[in-house]
Amino acid sequence: MKSQLYGNEFVEFVQEIYRTREFIPLHAPCFGDKERDYVLDTLDSTYVSSVGEYVNQFEGRLSEYTGAKYVVATINGTAALHTALMVGGVQLDDEVITSPLTFVATCNAVHYCGARPLFVDVEWDTLGLSPESLAIFLDDCGEIRDDRLCWNKKSNRIIRACIPIHNLGHPARVKEIEEICKAYNILVIEDAAESLGSFTSGVHTGRIGQTGILSFNGNKIITTGGGGALITDDKEVARRAKHLTTTAKQAHPWLFLHDEIGYNYRLPNINAALGCAQMEQLPTHVNKKRKLAHQYKEWFSKKDIEFVSEPSGASSNYWLNSIVLSNIEDRDEFLTYTNSHNVMTRAMWTPMHTLPMYRSCYRTNLANAEAVEKRLVNIPSSVV
Ligand SMILES: *Cc1c(COP(=O)(O)O)cnc(C)c1O
């Protein structure tokens, strides 16, 4: 068995990269002086909460970086997803297509709308939703009825939306996915929580669907402590999203007029301050992470172990670097060895269709997702 041997050499290699023999986490945040300055500035100003200039500034910086016309900052990525689904009209008993290889938040947000996830398989190349599997599924089960909506013939539910995920930062083939969905009148919402800094043909992830969502949780490429954002080019979508995330309050100098049930989802100013400082570091973070990925790739190619590279035509932020081992026994041996030697490694997300709350959801053949989960290992990926 070789992963014992390589586990040992691997631990030494990672210790060399991070120049430490102490515990090496999977992904730690990286702060400079600006972070401290901006956060202290919000304390001095007392504007730490839902009102303040840093929130607008943070949205502006995200808009500039991603190229999206509108950005709405939220308390976390899950809230951004929930909002995107509500604005997209997802409602009770609808189905929303997604892949089972994702962080549980994707499916939870669907559930918050009273809708159900519908699982279609991933492809190995991108680890994202497979356009081929999607087309086969829709060809087989999708039916446009008199209401112009796409119904799942088998479950007799409306398929309202599709959420492709840019897994581990690698861009999914959203252009193909969007073309297929368009023919069936299915809305695309991109889960770009992990892929800030990833582009396909120069277009930032999250920009092809009606909306894209980002996350700034502590383990993502940049962090606001907790935070998220919704990006879109559609003015009306942005207006609705802003309204829903700010308790649906109408502008008025002194009255509290709320015209529907809204949500307290606005990102606080203190978090946005951290985000503004982090945005200044983002280009450097992306470069350093791509460099680290290159180092890993070279090392693993010498060991004859498969390193997960960015899909062709795409530029990945390499949020989490990962390798593919031969089988689940090798995976577990590698995980056991590295984690007991102060180097944090993790398996892929447990596929959603195997979790108790999503076990009964409609699904297609998910052989790839199941195989990826049995073989893939995430390795330390903090900015060096
Ligand atoms: C992190 C993440 C989210 C949710 O982000 P939070 O900010 O933690 O709510 C959603 N989807 C994916 C794929 C993620 O990795």
Side-chain angles (χ1 to χ4, degrees):
M1 163 70 248
K2 60 187 182 185
S3 61
Q4 180 74 37
L5 169 71
Y6 290 160
N8 176 26
E9 289 181 35
F10 175 72
V11 163
E12 285 177 10
F13 181 60
V14 177
Q15 286 172 338
E16 229 173 84
I17 289 175
Y18 288 99
R19 291 184 212 91
T20 180
R21 294 194 161 261
E22 309 277 297
F23 173 70
I24 298 169
L26 197 65
H27 204 292
C30 171
F31 300 129
D33 291 339
K34 286 276 183 66
E35 278 78 352
R36 199 175 300 265
D37 292 347
Y38 293 178
V39 170
L40 287 177
D41 187 38
T42 65
L43 295 184
D44 293 339
S45 74
T46 75
Y47 285 97
V48 293
S49 199
S50 45
V51 175
E53 259 322 294
Y54 280 109
V55 189
N56 299 332
Q57 215 186 96
F58 184 50
E59 289 173 335
R61 287 179 193 221
L62 284 167
S63 164
E64 195 183 329
Y65 185 85
T66 60
K69 280 198 189 135
Y70 306 98
V71 177
V72 178
T74 57
I75 47 167
N76 54 49
T78 313
L81 260 171
H82 182 202
T83 306
L85 288 161
M86 287 190 288
V87 173
V90 172
Q91 44 188 279
L92 190 66
D93 290 335
D94 284 351
E95 283 180 337
V96 175
I97 299 171
T98 191
S99 65
L101 269 198
T102 185
F103 179 58
V104 71
T106 316
C107 295
N108 288 347
V110 170
H111 190 81
Y112 299 161
C113 298
R116 299 164 68 89
L118 184 169
F119 299 114
V120 173
D121 209 4
V122 297
E123 53 178 5
W124 275 98
D125 280 359
T126 64
L127 301 177
L129 190 70
S130 155
E132 287 79 17
S133 301
L134 177 66
I136 291 169
F137 162 70
L138 286 171
D139 194 38
D140 203 23
C141 301
E143 180 180 71
I144 304 273
R145 295 191 183 161
D146 292 343
D147 54 9
R148 303 294 310 139
L149 296 170
C150 179
W151 288 72
N152 179 349
K153 277 190 273 187
K154 302 271 172 71
S155 67
N156 204 35
R157 292 171 197 273
I158 296 166
I159 304 174
R160 188 87 57 174
C162 173
I163 314 178
I165 296 114
H166 302 287
N167 244 328
L168 309 180
H170 305 305
R173 288 198 282 146
V174 177
K175 209 160 179 117
E176 285 98 317
I177 291 168
E178 158 41 58
E179 265 160 37
I180 297 163
C181 285
K182 201 170 176 182
Y184 287 89
N185 200 13
I186 296 169
L187 185 77
V188 174
I189 294 167
E190 293 179 62
D191 186 337
E194 301 168 3
S195 64
L196 179 64
S198 301
F199 298 79
T200 302
S201 313
V203 178
H204 196 278
T205 47
R207 298 240 16 246
I208 291 173
Q210 178 184 64
T211 48
I213 73 95
L214 305 171
S215 166
F216 313 109
N217 188 34
N219 63 349
K220 299 299 197 311
I221 186 164
I222 65 160
T223 185
T224 58
L230 186 151
I231 66 175
T232 184
D233 281 350
D234 186 318
K235 191 174 182 180
E236 180 53 21
V237 164
R239 193 197 61 76
R240 280 285 299 149
K242 176 86 181 277
H243 192 61
L244 281 175
T245 54
T246 51
T247 61
K249 186 181 178 299
Q250 293 179 323
H252 192 282
W254 53 78
L255 295 179
F256 293 96
L257 299 170
H258 304 266
D259 56 17
E260 63 182 310
I261 294 177
Y263 295 81
N264 182 12
Y265 277 178
R266 185 90 176 137
L267 183 73
N269 202 43
I270 189 168
N271 300 83
L274 191 53
C276 285
Q278 289 270 283
M279 277 308 285
E280 293 175 22
Q281 293 209 53
L282 179 60
T284 317
H285 281 198
V286 173
N287 284 342
K288 286 183 173 174
K289 285 173 74 68
R290 290 182 58 79
K291 212 177 114 199
L292 173 64
H294 188 74
Q295 258 178 299
Y296 273 139
K297 186 179 173 149
E298 291 220 313
W299 193 84
F300 282 111
S301 76
K302 283 185 214 135
K303 308 286 170 199
D304 221 11
I305 292 178
E306 188 187 337
F307 175 78
V308 177
S309 295
E310 62 196 355
S312 63
S315 175
S316 175
N317 68 358
Y318 282 98
W319 171 55
L320 285 187
N321 291 288
S322 58
I323 53 173
V324 179
L325 298 171
S326 312
N327 50 49
I328 194 165
E329 289 77 24
D330 282 16
R331 181 199 75 172
D332 288 347
E333 200 175 322
F334 190 88
L335 285 167
T336 308
Y337 187 87
T338 47
N339 284 293
S340 61
H341 286 79
N342 259 349
V343 170
M344 184 169 167
T345 56
R346 284 292 178 265
M348 189 53 164
W349 321 115
T350 300
M352 293 299 114
H353 65 286
T354 67
L355 300 182
M357 50 300 184
Y358 300 118
R359 214 171 267 161
S360 65
C361 294
Y362 192 92
R363 62 167 126 141
T364 62
N365 180 324
L366 302 173
N368 286 345
E370 285 169 4
V372 170
E373 196 257 343
K374 287 188 175 72
R375 296 174 56 195
L376 189 138
V377 177
N378 292 311
I379 56 180
S381 300
S382 310
V383 171
V384 186

